[in-house]
Amino acid sequence: MDCLFCAIIEGKIPSTKVYEDDCVLAFKDINPNAPVHVLVVPKTHIESVDCVNEDNVDFVAKVMLAIPKVAKVCGLENGYRVITNVGEDGGQTVKHIHFHILGGEKLPVKLA
Ligand code: AMP
Ligand code: ZN
């Protein structure tokens, strides 16, 4: 399987790590859309929210538990936005579930 984020998790492609535990890795987005833009991923390959099931949901839960820790490490005490894109219409470009953490300023454009 050819997956960019699995390669990052395995250390085959470099990243700027901001948080790591047994189940989760967080690293800086290479093309940031805000002063802080970090991606939080489970260390197992799940394509998107559309592919979460009873067998893999614990990995996603671990990501949810990590997100406030990532935000704290990044100094986002004034708030932040969590985004996950799903599939073609959602604009997902990397097919390994990931949660964008955006902050460090009052964020523009609120779609939801
Ligand atoms: P999405 O469009 O929701 O699938 O998000 C994919 C994100 O991955 C984009 O924001 C990209 O800038 C980011 N990205 C792509 N390649 C890398 C990389 N090698 N290291 C860090 N972030 C990356
Ligand atoms: Zn993957």
Side-chain angles (χ1 to χ4, degrees), residues 42-104:
K43 289 182 176 177
T44 190
H45 186 83
I46 301 167
E47 186 169 319
S48 75
V49 165
D50 214 36
C51 299
V52 176
N53 56 41
E54 293 292 342
D55 293 332
N56 62 27
V57 68
D58 286 354
F59 283 92
V60 181
K62 296 285 189 185
V63 172
M64 291 300 125
L65 289 169
I67 284 172
K69 298 177 188 174
V70 173
K72 189 159 193 184
V73 167
C74 294
L76 300 176
E77 55 281 323
N78 208 38
Y80 54 94
R81 190 171 293 164
V82 182
I83 294 174
T84 189
N85 298 316
V86 180
E88 187 70 23
D89 282 3
Q92 184 180 8
T93 59
V94 179
K95 301 290 186 339
H96 180 127
I97 191 170
H98 52 281
F99 295 81
H100 298 257
I101 308 297
L102 296 148

Side-chain angles (χ1 to χ4, degrees), residues 4-5 27-31 39 85 91-94 98 100:
L4 173 64
F5 289 172
F27 52 94
K28 289 187 180 176
D29 195 294
I30 205 168
N31 185 23
L39 303 173
N85 298 316
Q92 184 180 8
T93 59
V94 179
H98 52 281
H100 298 257

Side-chain angles (χ1 to χ4, degrees), residues 17-35:
K17 193 190 306 180
V18 301
Y19 172 87
E20 184 171 23
D21 63 32
D22 287 352
C23 301
V24 177
L25 179 68
F27 52 94
K28 289 187 180 176
D29 195 294
I30 205 168
N31 185 23
N33 291 322

